[in-house]
Amino acid sequence: MNTEQIERIEHIAKRLATATRVTVLTGAGISAESGVATFRDPNGIWTKFKPEELASMDGFLKNPNLVWQWYQGRRDVLEKVVPNPGHTALAELQRWLETRGGRLTLATQNVDRLHHRAGSTDVLELHGNIVENYCSRCRKPHEYVFSDNPDQREPPRCTYCGGQIRPAVVWFGELLPVDVLAAAEAASEQCDVFFSIGTSAEVYPAAGLPIVAKRNGAFLVEINPNATALTRYADVVLHAASGAVLPQIIEALSSDKEQTTND
Ligand code: BV8
Ligand code: ZN
């Protein structure tokens, strides 16, 4: 790691040392090191399929079996992966802040629930989750557990109305859960430090959250190996993998804490 990156990490740790409210937005990039494909990277999902074909109600109505099988494939991957050090570091940061009377709000665009498995709590799932399902017609929740029946090749039928069952994710053209988005917006307005981690910052309204934070005076940190539309607004950018640098930020925090107790 070069000296510039070390300085940036120390700068972030210093900001965190005096922060009480921290808000984090994550995207597919934070799960990349767990082996979960992103969407817009060179070998990402959208290079093989068009988003509207798969992640939209029209796409589902046109080809329910294709869309259902696409989600089955992603569920199969999630059975085999585990949270990586980036997920774990965010759960640690949440606990560290809480011990000092602070608070971390984690809003994720991911549907993989790896943050939950890493120990993060009160996670705001902006785009829903891939574990639960509901009826596309009457919207009643539907009990389907992937591991009980991984060979289900087409959407199950609703036991109430016979409608086709769909995953509980937010598709393009669908509203995000109103209460979840409101909580994420409030946490973006009121935070001292905002992290945008592993997201191309292209999908709205999630991509608008860092700008809300910046506009309200937050210190904006972006962690992404590549530049994004957000990079120019960030106070500090770490062009690095989140699984590598998030643990280093946590480490810098504890050495910073030793520093202040020795002072
Ligand atoms: C809505 C389904 C009201 C779940 C997804 C305002 C302006 C412009 C457009 C719109 C707007 N408002 C609404 C829209 C339309 C649309 C939109 O934003 N379109 C974009 C493409 C222009 N938004 C919507 O439709 C939203 N609904 O607003 O409703 C409405 C309705 C109609 C019309 C107007 C308003 C719904 C959005 C949710 C869509 N659902 N997925 C699923 O199957 O997963 S979106 C999909 O993209 C995923 O959820 C994903 O999370 C999300 C964002 O992608 P990223 O997470 O950022 O992933 P990506 O691959 O793009 O980037 C990964 C990044 O990680 C890269 O930058 C890479 O460099 C980095 N990386 C890689 N490795 C690492 C790493 N970073 C760190 N460490 C590493 N190791
Ligand atoms: Zn139904």
Side-chain angles (χ1 to χ4, degrees), residues 149-211:
N149 183 0
D151 303 330
Q152 176 79 32
R153 302 288 298 157
E154 55 189 46
R157 288 285 170 175
C158 173
T159 40
Y160 297 96
C161 74
Q164 291 183 303
I165 299 303
R166 54 164 288 176
V169 297
V170 177
W171 279 331
F172 285 105
E174 293 186 327
L175 287 170
L176 278 61
V178 179
D179 51 338
V180 172
L181 181 58
E185 281 167 344
S188 303
E189 280 160 11
Q190 296 151 16
C191 63
D192 308 306
V193 181
F194 189 104
F195 285 88
S196 177
I197 304 171
T199 181
S200 56
E202 285 185 27
V203 175
Y204 285 82
L209 295 172
I211 302 300

Side-chain angles (χ1 to χ4, degrees), residues 102-130:
R103 194 158 151 222
L104 183 141
T105 302
L106 173 55
T108 187
Q109 299 170 89
N110 301 341
V111 297
D112 58 30
R113 295 222 146 153
L114 286 174
H115 285 303
H116 302 67
R117 289 171 56 190
S120 288
T121 57
D122 306 318
V123 178
L124 299 174
E125 292 183 308
L126 297 168
H127 294 165
N129 74 80
I130 202 171

Side-chain angles (χ1 to χ4, degrees), residues 26-33 37-41 44-46 51 54-56 70-71 74 84 108-111 126-128 130 169-176 197-207 222-228 238 240-244:
T26 61
I30 196 163
S31 297
E33 290 157 273
T38 63
F39 292 88
R40 296 171 185 82
D41 276 330
I45 293 170
W46 295 153
L54 291 172
S56 74
W70 179 53
Y71 281 97
R74 290 173 64 191
N84 66 62
T108 187
Q109 299 170 89
N110 301 341
V111 297
L126 297 168
H127 294 165
I130 202 171
V169 297
V170 177
W171 279 331
F172 285 105
E174 293 186 327
L175 287 170
L176 278 61
I197 304 171
T199 181
S200 56
E202 285 185 27
V203 175
Y204 285 82
E222 180 177 47
I223 299 176
N224 191 324
N226 300 312
T228 70
L238 291 174
S242 45

Side-chain angles (χ1 to χ4, degrees), residues 135-140 158-163 165:
C135 174
S136 57
R137 187 186 298 162
C138 72
R139 298 181 74 82
K140 278 199 176 59
C158 173
T159 40
Y160 297 96
C161 74
I165 299 303

